[in-house]
Amino acid sequence: TGKWFYAGPFDNTGGKGFDAVYPPELGVDLKKEYVGKNNEKVVWKEGAFVDGQPNDLLIFGKPELNVYAAAYVYREINVGTDMECPVSLGSDDTLTVWLNGEKIHAENVGRGVAPDQAILKLKLRAGKNTFLMKICQGEGGFGFYFAAKLNEALPVVPLQFEDVSDAAGLGEN
């Protein structure tokens, strides 16, 4: 798994951030600059987030930028072969997840962040995979949780078999 990056805040006033499509959802470009909540400049920054523990997103300086806000966290995951990798996710509050640009999970909830609030199997392909999460929050805590369950990851092996029906007397002839 690669480094974490984050971008935000975007507006979540009245809970509108869950359904809103902000620029990171249209494609992640770590060099892009966006207009965020209260017309603040938003750029991607490297985050010192740690896998396997709740990570705080109350990091946007001014107090008014840390309420009714939406933030994105992004990383690249490189693997040597196609595989399925279970992950444990959590969020305070809503959670939306994209893998390689495809939305794979969305839940509009109000809660505190904890492990195993969503358990997904990421269908990773050989090479670079992009992983993006959007977390929207109201008031209070604001954060996310990510842990890959690498000991449960399995390579995707295509089924291979040899047709022996003719040799066994079960074929066309």
Side-chain angles (χ1 to χ4, degrees):
T1 54
K3 297 176 183 178
W4 282 108
F5 295 88
Y6 69 94
F10 295 91
D11 194 11
N12 187 39
T13 304
K16 72 180 183 181
F18 181 77
D19 291 321
V21 177
Y22 293 116
E25 295 175 39
L26 304 174
V28 173
D29 180 344
L30 298 177
K31 294 180 177 125
K32 279 233 169 150
E33 184 177 299
Y34 314 109
V35 176
K37 182 177 178 169
N38 297 348
N39 293 313
E40 295 280 336
K41 179 174 99 169
V42 172
V43 296
W44 287 99
K45 296 179 182 176
E46 189 173 329
F49 304 126
V50 179
D51 292 353
Q53 71 181 42
N55 290 282
D56 196 359
L57 288 171
L58 292 171
I59 53 179
F60 296 112
K62 302 174 190 172
E64 66 271 16
L65 297 179
N66 290 301
V67 295
Y68 303 106
Y72 292 87
V73 292
Y74 169 82
R75 76 176 349 163
E76 294 176 354
I77 302 170
N78 290 289
V79 294
T81 186
D82 292 355
M83 65 173 20
E84 289 187 356
C85 182
V87 293
S88 168
L89 305 175
S91 61
D92 184 343
D93 291 303
T94 75
L95 176 65
T96 308
V97 181
W98 293 262
L99 179 64
N100 296 321
E102 178 184 344
K103 187 187 291 187
I104 61 169
H105 183 80
E107 54 185 319
N108 190 357
V109 294
R111 62 185 176 200
V113 65
D116 296 340
Q117 291 171 323
I119 298 175
L120 306 178
K121 277 192 179 174
L122 301 182
K123 294 180 189 220
L124 303 172
R125 55 186 184 222
K128 179 178 87 169
N129 295 267
T130 59
F131 181 79
L132 177 70
M133 293 193 298
K134 175 168 69 172
I135 300 93
C136 298
Q137 85 109 0
E139 297 177 327
F142 188 16
F144 76 96
Y145 178 90
F146 174 95
K149 299 183 177 200
L150 297 174
N151 59 330
E152 298 175 29
L154 297 172
V156 176
V157 180
L159 295 177
Q160 297 180 2
F161 65 93
E162 179 183 349
D163 184 353
V164 294
S165 21
D166 282 334
L170 300 172
E172 288 182 31
N173 301 321

